[in-house]
Amino acid sequence: MLLLTRRQTIFAAIAASLAGHTAFAQSAPAKVRIALDWTPNTNHIGIYVAKAKGFYEAAGLDVEILPFTDTSAGTLVSNGVADFGISSEIETLTQRAGGGDVKMVYGVVQTETARLIFKGGRDDIKSPKDLDGKTYGGFGGTWESALISAMIRNDGGKGDVKTVTLGTSAYEALDNGSIDFTLEIYTWEGIAAELENRKIGRFHYSDYGIPDEQTTVIVSSDAYLSANREHARAFIQATRKGYAYSVDHPDEACDLLISGSNGALMNAELVKASQKALIEGHFLKSEAGVIGTLDPAKAEALGGFLLENGILVDANGAALKEKPDFSTYYTNELLD
């Protein structure tokens, strides 16, 4: 009887040990990778806040912020290198039309933050039609020429410009007169120009017939979402909590972004001024209190514009002839 009791005790101890290991395995955080579209900036602030404040950890997630590379975040997501990525609404629409497995799951901003810009003080540029024949410093996007040409034509011009691809050096080229105009994200490059007292002229896309867009979005893939629905939901909701916190506690949020950037952000004045612009302009949170939600009307209008201008092409590079179902290009379900 004593021997049986000892055996029972041993077996009970083993069972308890195995149960402990099982419980540990079940509680281990799920690994999630998000790719940035650029070096850390205030467009990413909610992610850094959610990580630093423990929102991801509380949701059972171990989130890795992948460093910016020359490969677009949407491409990394489509190929399974990242689970989520920071992208733009235009880029997502074009990538998915071309067969990329990429879908918008969170609207970082609620309205357009991009602007067409030129050096301030030029008497020869009063409106977009004055850009005809001038030189544009671009970033290599297939949609850029269509957007610029449409703005010029809608203002009464021909839409004929010279284009050179420069990337971020476009801003230096604008300052030294090598190009006549380029594009910016007002809430970052625009704020930097203001802090440096550089005179910049700006045209809003939507003032010249371009549909308003949610410039910055978070994307995932159908493959990841179907296999990891609950992890995806947990990530997006914790991320929204991070962005909401950044609106309510901007100074702390900026400090967390700076400290989490591993030295990539050194200009605290720019970070805080940028966050102020995002908040006061109701970009991160609309006047109605909307945060994170993707607007179906914006996706439909922007998609239609890209289709009409031959920007949406299939995997073989042929322009789409029929309008795709843009409702499959995004989802708000993870916010519920």
Side-chain angles (χ1 to χ4, degrees):
M1 187 69 176
L2 182 60
L3 180 60
L4 181 60
T5 302
R6 286 176 178 173
R7 286 178 177 174
Q8 290 173 331
T9 302
I10 292 171
F11 289 152
I14 293 173
S17 177
L18 290 172
H21 284 297
T22 300
F24 176 80
Q26 290 175 342
S27 62
K31 188 75 172 180
V32 173
R33 302 157 300 172
I34 181 166
L36 301 185
D37 61 333
W38 208 250
T39 53
N41 58 69
T42 45
N43 277 344
H44 313 138
I45 196 166
I47 298 163
Y48 281 87
V49 168
K51 189 173 178 68
K53 296 294 291 184
F55 299 159
Y56 290 136
E57 183 180 4
L61 305 175
D62 176 14
V63 174
E64 179 184 6
I65 302 174
L66 302 178
F68 166 69
T69 70
D70 289 336
T71 303
S72 75
T75 299
L76 296 176
V77 166
S78 183
N79 288 282
V81 177
D83 307 311
F84 295 91
I86 303 291
S87 187
S88 71
E89 188 165 21
I90 288 180
E91 184 173 61
T92 306
L93 291 168
T94 56
Q95 286 184 331
R96 188 172 179 97
D101 185 7
V102 60
K103 174 177 283 189
M104 293 180 282
V105 293
Y106 185 91
V108 174
V109 297
Q110 290 301 306
T111 190
E112 179 70 71
T113 55
R115 306 285 186 264
L116 187 155
I117 64 171
F118 57 95
K119 197 168 183 177
R122 291 187 58 163
D123 294 332
D124 60 332
I125 302 178
K126 301 295 185 182
S127 68
K129 66 184 178 184
D130 298 325
L131 300 175
D132 263 333
K134 292 182 169 56
T135 301
Y136 165 66
F139 301 86
T142 57
W143 51 269
E144 293 173 43
S145 61
L147 179 145
I148 292 165
S149 294
M151 289 179 68
I152 294 173
R153 292 195 307 271
N154 291 340
D155 190 44
K158 296 179 180 178
D160 297 328
V161 301
K162 303 170 187 176
T163 299
V164 292
T165 301
L166 299 174
T168 54
S169 62
Y171 304 115
E172 180 181 350
L174 185 70
D175 287 338
N176 64 33
S178 299
I179 60 172
D180 296 298
F181 66 104
T182 187
L183 307 179
E184 71 167 9
I185 297 298
Y186 169 71
T187 51
W188 190 256
E189 288 91 6
I191 295 299
E194 291 178 1
L195 293 176
E196 295 166 5
N197 295 314
R198 289 186 285 116
K199 294 179 65 176
I200 299 292
R202 295 181 174 87
F203 299 135
H204 291 215
Y205 300 172
S206 58
D207 288 343
Y208 297 94
I210 308 301
D212 187 30
E213 67 162 313
Q214 294 182 259
T215 317
T216 305
V217 298
I218 295 177
V219 298
S220 189
S221 65
D222 284 323
Y224 180 81
L225 295 177
S226 63
N228 304 275
R229 197 72 177 182
E230 292 311 310
H231 293 158
R233 189 185 305 278
F235 173 78
I236 288 300
Q237 295 193 10
T239 297
R240 179 168 60 176
K241 188 175 180 181
Y243 278 105
Y245 192 93
S246 79
V247 172
D248 295 335
H249 306 86
D251 287 340
E252 180 188 355
C254 289
D255 290 340
L256 293 175
L257 172 62
I258 293 169
S259 62
S261 71
N262 295 321
L265 284 175
M266 303 297 290
N267 190 338
E269 183 183 18
L270 171 58
V271 173
K272 293 187 176 183
S274 173
Q275 181 67 3
K276 181 180 179 182
L278 283 166
I279 294 171
E280 293 183 350
H282 300 286
F283 293 107
L284 295 180
K285 186 177 182 179
S286 74
E287 291 186 75
V290 176
I291 181 167
T293 303
L294 292 156
D295 187 334
K298 285 184 169 65
E300 190 75 18
L302 186 61
F305 169 80
L306 296 174
L307 180 69
E308 292 170 9
N309 285 273
I311 302 304
L312 298 185
V313 299
D314 62 22
N316 296 316
L320 298 188
K321 296 182 179 180
E322 295 185 4
K323 180 181 177 182
D325 181 1
F326 291 119
S327 69
T328 65
Y329 284 41
Y330 64 87
T331 180
N332 284 312
E333 292 179 2
L334 301 179
L335 290 168
D336 296 335

